Amino acid sequence: MTDQTSGERDYSQTLFLPKTDFAMRAGLSQREPQLIERWAKIDLYKKLREAAKGKPKFVLHDGPPYANGNIHIGHALNKILKDLVTRSQSMLGFDSNYVPGWDCHGLPIEWRIEEEYRAKGKPKPDLSSGAAINAFRAECRAYATNWLNIQREEFKRLGVTGDWDNPYQTMTYPAEAQIAREIMKFKENGLLYRGSKPVMWSVVEKTALAEAEIEYHDHQSDMVWVKFPVKEAPLPAYNIVPAMSIPEHPQLKDASILIWTTTPWTLPGNRAIAYSRKIEYGLYEVTANERDFGPKPGERYIIAKKLAEHVASSAKISLSFVSDVPADALARTTCSHPLAAFPSPARGEGQKGREPSLGYTFDVPLLDGDHVTDDAGTGFVHTAPGHGREDFEIWMANGRTLAERGIDTAIPFTVDDDSVYTAQAPGFEGKRVIKENGDKGDANEAVIKALIDANMLVARARLKHQYPHSWRSKKPVIFRNTPQWFIAMDRPFSADGRAGDNQPTLRETAFEAISQTEWVPASGQNRIRGMVENKPDWVMSRQRAWGVPITVFVHRETKELLRDARVDQAIAAAFEAEGADAWFAEGAAARFLAPFDHDPATYEMVTDVLDVWFDSGSTHSYVLNTPKHFPTLDGIHRIVDGGRDRVMYLEGSDQHRGWFQSSLLESCGTRGRAPFDVVLTHGFVLDEKGEKMSKSVGNVVAPQDVIKSSGADILRLWVAASDYADDLRIGPRIVENFVDTYRKLRNTLRWSLGTLAHADPAQLVAFADMPELERYILHRLAETHREVIAAYAAYDYKRVIAVMTTLMTGDLSAFYFDIRKDTLYCDPASSPTRLAALTVIDICFRAMTTWLAPILVFTCEEAWLARYPSEAGSVHTALFEPVEAFWTDPALASRFEAARRLRRVVNGALEIERAQKRLGSSLEAAPVVYIADARLLGEVDAIDFAELCITSAIDIRLGEGPADAFRLSDMAGIAVEVIRASGRKCARSWKYFDPASADPAYPDITPRDAVAMREWTARQGEAA
């Protein structure tokens, strides 16, 4: 403002223009580290804890990242989202504490150390030696510590607040001691057992894997269609189905049951065929073969009727339907193994040649299974109980009946740790399923060749499909029968040690806990329930070195687990002082057993380490329940226990089968309930096109790069504004969009600060004395407050950003601030309207900075300190700025909303005039507004509409208006004629006015500006 011409006064120095050191250009990448340093200097975390004393606790228990490598964009999403929760809950009035944690054990770190050995040409140490294994473990510990420290600084750079000086680590001695206590509780309640089951086995890593350690990738498998000849031997009368009730099917005697499999190497382990009573089966005869090998005309196969055509097409044969085969007939059927005639090396030394093997001459029964479908294959499932979960379960479920039929129910160990066939796969010894580098071995080809030689192969092909891989090595895994330690899912137990009938199982206990938990989003409840419902017994053991051992002793003769509380206490005490290394040290068995009159020679000391998911799943037990180590979390009394505190777990949606599930099962098994009250899940981060990020593709967005170029607050804004329940996208264009949004929010804060430089705390105006426009803005502030608080309480941060953007850019910058600039810049210093506006802007500033503080942690702190300079103050110790209930005025709001709609029509008309160069400033106009609705005219009649439209004058009339007047299609009954303002342009405020009304001493400015000048001159004199 001020329109100075030659010879006229310079009024620019008399205006109350904004002035602030809060820069328009944020410079976040330089400013943010300074604020982090300041927070450390004032010990902001300690201040937050002191301010929160006595309040209900809201604890976000950290799902530990792995201490291996720099953080990626997924880490940034996760940690920022956690920080949004903890900061917002703190400002909502809770003692919201965050203790960061790290998962430190496990195979990836072992691999890194072994890679360093290879790089240096050093041999891997002999881990059978106690000294050697603990030296190796020390190297793993040092590696994890190094990366933990690197990641800690990277997380802090994101603006995340927490107890960074005292994080939890699964490798600290107290943590290892508590993990050992937890697994020993499972020993005591009877859920821990050693068994033989097929588990997912990583040949490359030489260890069993849990479901959470598996991911699926495209893989090309051999697939084969194989004949299992129906035996002619009569069936005994013991069968479940009465013999007289089943019609004879003599035609089956010359037939074969056809199976289809993508794992030919498992056929030496076949012991049964599964079928389903729900499927319709038929007997088919081969009438032609397009090839000169394989099936011959006249051969008969039993196939699911729905799949017969597909089988014929795949095998390039023609099939003719012969008859239906009732499922009851299949229940009485026994087949020969397709390798029954497979020759193997002759037995006995000195003998030459080969003779038929007795290894595969056993009967192959048919078993009814719910898992069998006719969606693919043949409607029959080749069943190798040592190589599949469902295979194992159906075999075990029929164990008693099979034994009565004289069938050996022992499950063979056909492959060893290296996936090499053992002697229990006669004829194939030494063949390998997967090579040590993860490539395909020669086992499949050996089995397929044997099937061809035995004339049992109907067809073969290749199938590209999703196959399980280790998430670490990215190599395919196999299902393999091995002795492992398990936690039983379906064995009745008592978490509190009380005996009694009808005790629940771990699965049932978990179901109850799931129902008592708040899931965000709600779909998480069904997701985890489904995963727990289908979860097999939890595989606990890993054949590795870097981890917490399964601290149990097994009697060598009785195979019973040693249950002696004194021994357990001694183990835990040793771990507290020395860590889990104490278990691997020389003489450990004698150390723990001899003092309590147990002979070490009679006990086997288990050396397997625990699944790392059990490590992280146990973290609640020592982070949330051991004030000695985590005093800031002392006194948690959860609502489920009759208290007022809540615990949240927050991770990616993949953790329904990972950390959420392991924590749930661990806590349910030891405490009978979930360790959490609220579980929040987020999606994954994709590139701008919605594709998975990949270094090879070049679409990876590193958080370090975004911070360097734009600042951490931009990343935080992206996280908050995104729908975290779904997958998120990020890329250069998306980042730039958020930079633009951030700039608008920052400029609103900046203008507020500049304007408030002229505010005097002693001149605040009471609500009752404010003009209607100010009261309307406070009404909007009260409305926004309700939405913001509700959104934060519901963890709906995108809603916070949406309503705050509307308030700051729509209600304030584009409306209220725009209107009040004239009053704030040009009115006399003592103007009641100006003072009221400053009062409202001050209230708005406190609201904006506190309501956005959990999200824009650096920017709001910078703005807060610019307004309230302090050596040790911080916006983050404040609560969300409250509002007064009496600010809400729906009637007043209705009038102003109507006026704003009218204003939109006026602005549309003015924009056209400006575009046509017929107007410059809106102050050059004095529009005529026609309103056809008398009621609407009455609503806005009392409002200074020229002030709202920022015009020098305005004329509102009842009527439709001229035909050529400006109209908006969505605002019927409103028309605007733009008329140029008459009179003289004020040299100070640029408004047009009647020169006859001017103050003689100031003829070039409006009377209002003349009063302001007299007051300003008087103040200048006083100052002099």
Side-chain angles (χ1 to χ4, degrees):
M1 294 183 177
T2 74
D3 190 15
Q4 184 183 355
T5 57
S6 180
E8 293 181 335
R9 294 185 177 93
D10 179 8
Y11 290 111
S12 62
Q13 299 304 312
T14 71
L15 302 175
F16 297 104
L17 296 175
K19 53 182 181 180
T20 179
D21 293 330
F22 188 77
M24 180 181 296
R25 293 183 63 84
L28 291 176
S29 57
Q30 293 78 40
R31 181 62 174 146
E32 289 172 346
Q34 297 170 359
L35 289 171
I36 292 173
E37 185 178 344
R38 180 180 184 273
W39 291 336
K41 182 179 179 181
I42 68 174
D43 199 347
L44 177 60
Y45 179 76
K46 182 179 179 181
K47 288 180 179 292
L48 290 169
R49 301 282 62 77
E50 291 172 347
K53 281 182 179 178
K55 296 177 181 178
K57 296 180 184 295
F58 187 100
V59 179
L60 195 155
H61 180 44
D62 195 20
Y66 200 68
N68 180 22
N70 295 99
I71 69 170
H72 52 66
I73 194 67
H75 286 121
L77 163 64
N78 179 264
K79 289 298 184 188
I80 289 172
L81 192 53
K82 289 175 178 175
D83 198 49
L84 298 184
V85 171
T86 54
R87 288 182 184 272
S88 61
Q89 291 295 319
S90 178
M91 298 184 81
L92 282 168
F94 292 95
D95 179 0
S96 183
N97 194 1
Y98 172 65
V99 174
W102 272 270
D103 201 353
C104 305
H105 295 126
L107 186 60
I109 290 177
E110 286 194 44
W111 268 25
R112 292 296 186 183
I113 301 304
E114 291 174 8
E115 283 178 358
E116 291 177 7
Y117 286 161
R118 289 192 289 271
K120 297 175 182 178
K122 293 172 56 180
K124 183 178 178 180
D126 177 11
L127 299 183
S128 63
S129 159
I133 193 172
N134 279 341
F136 179 76
R137 286 169 59 86
E139 292 184 81
C140 292
R141 187 180 298 276
Y143 180 91
T145 299
N146 175 62
W147 278 110
L148 185 154
N149 290 329
I150 291 171
Q151 289 184 0
R152 171 163 41 195
E153 295 307 309
E154 291 180 319
F155 288 141
K156 288 164 68 174
R157 183 61 185 85
L158 295 170
V160 179
T161 187
D163 195 356
W164 293 109
D165 294 335
N166 186 35
Y168 79 80
Q169 309 166 46
T170 58
M171 67 179 178
T172 60
Y173 295 171
E176 291 183 333
Q178 187 60 32
I179 294 169
R181 291 188 190 99
E182 294 299 302
I183 193 60
M184 289 188 288
K185 290 179 183 177
F186 280 96
K187 174 193 68 175
E188 291 302 315
N189 67 23
L191 293 184
L192 180 68
Y193 72 95
R194 180 154 61 180
S196 171
K197 285 187 177 182
V199 297
M200 283 180 280
W201 181 266
S202 171
V203 177
V204 174
E205 298 154 304
K206 292 184 177 60
T207 188
L209 299 178
E211 289 181 90
E213 297 171 296
I214 294 296
E215 57 189 23
Y216 288 80
H217 298 293
D218 283 342
H219 180 77
Q220 191 171 72
S221 296
D222 293 303
M223 55 179 177
V224 292
W225 288 260
V226 179
K227 296 182 286 187
F228 278 68
V230 175
K231 295 189 73 168
E232 296 182 5
L235 297 175
Y238 62 76
N239 199 282
I240 296 173
V241 183
M244 295 301 293
S245 67
I246 300 176
E248 291 294 328
H249 290 274
Q251 68 269 39
L252 298 187
K253 292 181 181 179
D254 298 323
S256 294
I257 287 178
L258 213 58
I259 68 95
W260 167 79
T261 181
T262 58
T263 55
W265 67 268
T266 63
L267 283 165
N270 175 276
R271 292 299 182 270
I273 300 170
Y275 71 98
S276 173
R277 292 181 177 275
K278 301 175 184 177
I279 295 176
E280 294 182 354
Y281 294 96
L283 179 66
Y284 294 85
E285 183 171 313
V286 178
T287 58
N289 185 352
E290 297 178 18
R291 302 167 302 182
D292 57 2
F293 62 91
K296 296 179 174 55
E299 291 187 10
R300 291 187 170 191
Y301 305 143
I302 305 169
I303 311 169
K305 293 170 71 174
K306 180 179 174 182
L307 294 167
E309 185 177 342
H310 174 72
V311 170
S313 173
S314 300
K316 300 186 184 303
I317 58 177
S318 298
L319 293 174
S320 173
F321 177 74
V322 176
S323 67
D324 289 326
V325 178
D328 285 345
L330 297 175
R332 301 180 59 183
T333 301
T334 299
C335 292
S336 297
H337 195 286
L339 297 174
F342 179 66
S344 66
R347 299 176 183 175
E349 292 186 10
Q351 287 184 301
K352 296 181 180 181
R354 301 167 69 88
E355 65 180 16
S357 167
L358 301 179
Y360 304 103
T361 57
F362 46 81
D363 289 347
V364 178
L366 269 73
L367 305 175
D368 184 18
D370 292 334
H371 64 290
V372 183
T373 71
D374 56 2
D375 294 334
T378 66
F380 293 98
V381 176
H382 138 62
T383 299
H387 297 299
R389 174 186 164 191
E390 290 166 329
D391 302 43
F392 175 85
E393 290 174 350
I394 193 173
W395 183 254
M396 296 303 291
N398 287 274
R400 183 177 177 180
T401 304
L402 292 170
E404 289 175 352
R405 293 172 62 175
I407 294 174
D408 184 0
T409 59
I411 299 175
F413 292 90
T414 54
V415 294
D416 65 13
D417 291 2
D418 294 316
S419 80
V420 175
Y421 279 128
T422 68
Q424 295 189 38
F428 301 100
E429 297 94 322
K431 300 298 183 182
R432 189 165 186 167
V433 181
I434 295 177
K435 297 178 182 178
E436 61 182 7
N437 64 357
D439 291 344
K440 177 183 173 183
D442 54 1
N444 269 355
E445 282 303 319
V447 171
I448 292 172
K449 183 178 184 304
L451 291 170
I452 294 172
D453 291 345
N455 192 32
M456 291 296 154
L457 184 70
V458 173
R460 66 179 297 183
R462 293 285 183 86
L463 175 68
K464 186 176 183 180
H465 62 143
Q466 290 281 292
Y467 187 83
H469 288 61
S470 166
W471 72 338
R472 299 185 186 96
S473 67
K474 309 301 180 185
K475 300 299 183 181
V477 301
I478 62 173
F479 269 94
R480 170 178 173 254
N481 191 35
T482 63
Q484 299 289 342
W485 288 91
F486 298 87
I487 286 178
M489 291 294 295
D490 298 305
R491 182 181 297 174
F493 81 108
S494 174
D496 56 14
R498 291 179 296 183
D501 297 330
N502 300 319
Q503 296 286 3
T505 65
L506 180 55
R507 196 184 310 275
E508 290 166 346
T509 305
F511 285 159
E512 179 63 23
I514 289 170
S515 69
Q516 295 174 353
T517 300
E518 178 187 353
W519 299 91
V520 183
S523 58
Q525 179 169 347
N526 288 335
R527 180 176 171 83
I528 193 168
R529 182 181 172 89
M531 291 182 173
V532 171
E533 190 168 21
N534 295 311
K535 183 179 179 64
D537 286 356
W538 186 359
V539 186
M540 278 291 103
S541 44
R542 298 293 184 274
Q543 292 67 46
R544 306 303 301 180
W546 178 228
V548 177
I550 299 176
T551 48
V552 297
F553 292 94
V554 183
H555 197 281
R556 294 187 185 277
E557 292 184 3
T558 67
K559 305 303 179 184
E560 292 293 323
L561 300 183
L562 175 63
R563 288 179 169 82
D564 188 329
R566 298 170 302 169
V567 174
D568 293 350
Q569 290 167 7
I571 294 170
F575 280 25
E576 285 273 358
E578 308 162 35
D581 291 0
W583 188 260
F584 300 101
E586 301 295 343
R591 172 185 182 180
F592 296 128
L593 294 178
F596 308 106
D597 300 324
H598 299 294
D599 182 3
T602 64
Y603 285 93
E604 173 197 350
M605 185 180 187
V606 176
T607 56
D608 289 347
V609 299
L610 286 162
D611 174 16
V612 290
W613 289 107
F614 188 88
D615 283 20
S616 58
S618 302
T619 55
H620 67 92
S621 67
Y622 57 91
V623 178
L624 305 182
N625 295 292
T626 55
K628 171 185 175 183
H629 301 298
F630 300 98
T632 60
L633 294 173
D634 188 17
I636 297 174
H637 190 198
R638 290 170 55 194
I639 293 174
V640 70
D641 297 323
R644 57 177 185 165
D645 305 330
R646 288 186 296 165
V647 174
M648 171 185 271
Y649 278 36
L650 186 162
E651 295 301 327
S653 56
D654 59 331
Q655 296 308 309
H656 287 111
R657 69 185 183 110
W659 188 57
F660 296 153
Q661 188 179 132
S662 66
S663 300
L664 171 71
L665 296 177
E666 200 288 329
S667 183
C668 285
T670 55
R671 291 154 179 82
R673 55 176 171 74
F676 39 66
D677 304 285
V678 185
V679 175
L680 186 150
T681 55
H682 61 76
F684 300 98
V685 183
L686 307 173
D687 72 1
E688 286 181 320
K689 298 178 181 178
E691 297 176 355
K692 185 177 180 180
M693 292 188 185
S694 168
K695 290 182 180 179
S696 61
V697 176
N699 61 348
V700 173
V701 175
Q704 297 86 347
D705 294 339
V706 177
I707 290 171
K708 183 177 180 180
S709 63
S710 304
D713 263 356
I714 302 302
L715 271 180
R716 296 179 67 95
L717 182 60
W718 163 70
V719 171
S722 301
D723 182 1
Y724 62 73
D726 201 352
D727 290 341
L728 289 74
R729 297 187 183 191
I730 193 169
R733 289 193 299 273
I734 290 174
V735 170
E736 188 56 40
N737 288 339
F738 279 104
V739 168
D740 290 341
T741 300
Y742 169 83
R743 189 178 295 118
K744 294 173 184 176
L745 299 176
R746 182 181 179 89
N747 283 342
T748 301
L749 291 173
R750 182 174 182 272
W751 187 88
S752 301
L753 282 167
T755 299
L756 290 172
H758 305 291
D760 182 352
Q763 293 184 306
L764 297 178
V765 176
F767 178 80
D769 298 327
M770 289 182 179
E772 285 189 332
L773 179 58
E774 276 60 40
R775 298 207 305 272
Y776 166 67
I777 293 301
L778 292 181
H779 167 88
R780 282 291 300 123
L781 203 65
E783 284 186 324
T784 303
H785 175 266
R786 285 192 295 273
E787 291 191 78
V788 166
I789 298 304
Y792 272 126
Y795 323 110
D796 188 356
Y797 308 112
K798 68 182 185 303
R799 181 63 183 160
V800 174
I801 292 299
V803 297
M804 287 302 295
T805 300
T806 297
L807 174 74
M808 294 174 69
T809 64
D811 294 313
L812 297 181
S813 289
F815 179 68
Y816 180 61
F817 292 172
D818 209 23
I819 292 167
R820 278 293 181 243
K821 284 178 181 177
D822 175 73
T823 297
L824 290 162
Y825 298 173
C826 303
D827 266 18
S830 62
S831 161
T833 302
R834 178 178 173 275
L835 296 177
L838 288 171
T839 301
V840 168
I841 293 169
D842 185 46
I843 294 170
C844 289
F845 175 81
R846 291 185 64 91
M848 290 186 291
T849 49
T850 59
W851 297 353
L852 280 178
I855 299 169
L856 302 179
V857 293
F858 297 107
T859 302
C860 290
E861 182 80 321
E862 182 187 1
W864 186 267
L865 294 174
R867 178 74 177 126
Y868 310 110
S870 168
E871 285 294 320
S874 172
V875 68
H876 300 298
T877 60
L879 298 178
F880 287 131
E881 185 70 11
V883 300
E884 300 289 351
F886 57 77
W887 290 355
T888 302
D889 189 340
L892 177 68
S894 176
R895 291 172 51 220
F896 269 91
E897 294 302 329
R900 290 181 73 170
R901 291 193 295 272
L902 291 176
R903 182 177 186 260
R904 189 161 64 86
V905 184
V906 173
N907 285 344
L910 294 175
E911 282 301 318
I912 290 178
E913 295 301 307
R914 275 194 285 261
Q916 297 296 325
K917 308 295 185 183
R918 292 192 289 264
L919 280 182
S921 164
S922 62
L923 290 172
E924 296 176 12
V928 178
V929 180
Y930 298 91
I931 303 176
D933 186 348
R935 183 188 56 81
L936 177 60
L937 179 62
E939 279 190 329
V940 302
D941 189 50
I943 295 175
D944 187 342
F945 204 53
E947 180 181 68
L948 256 63
C949 295
I950 316 176
T951 56
S952 291
I954 205 159
D955 183 9
I956 301 180
R957 302 174 185 176
L958 181 65
E960 292 287 347
D964 59 349
F966 177 82
R967 292 172 174 82
L968 289 178
S969 59
D970 61 339
M971 290 292 292
I974 310 296
V976 176
E977 278 188 303
V978 178
I979 309 298
R980 286 195 65 87
S982 60
R984 180 174 182 174
K985 182 179 180 181
C986 175
R988 185 168 180 267
S989 66
W990 299 359
K991 280 188 175 181
Y992 283 77
F993 70 105
D994 182 357
S997 66
D999 184 325
Y1002 298 97
D1004 55 344
I1005 60 178
T1006 69
R1008 184 276 311 262
D1009 288 273
V1011 172
M1013 280 302 303
R1014 290 183 182 279
E1015 187 172 314
W1016 182 83
T1017 302
R1019 287 174 181 267
Q1020 293 297 110
E1022 291 173 4

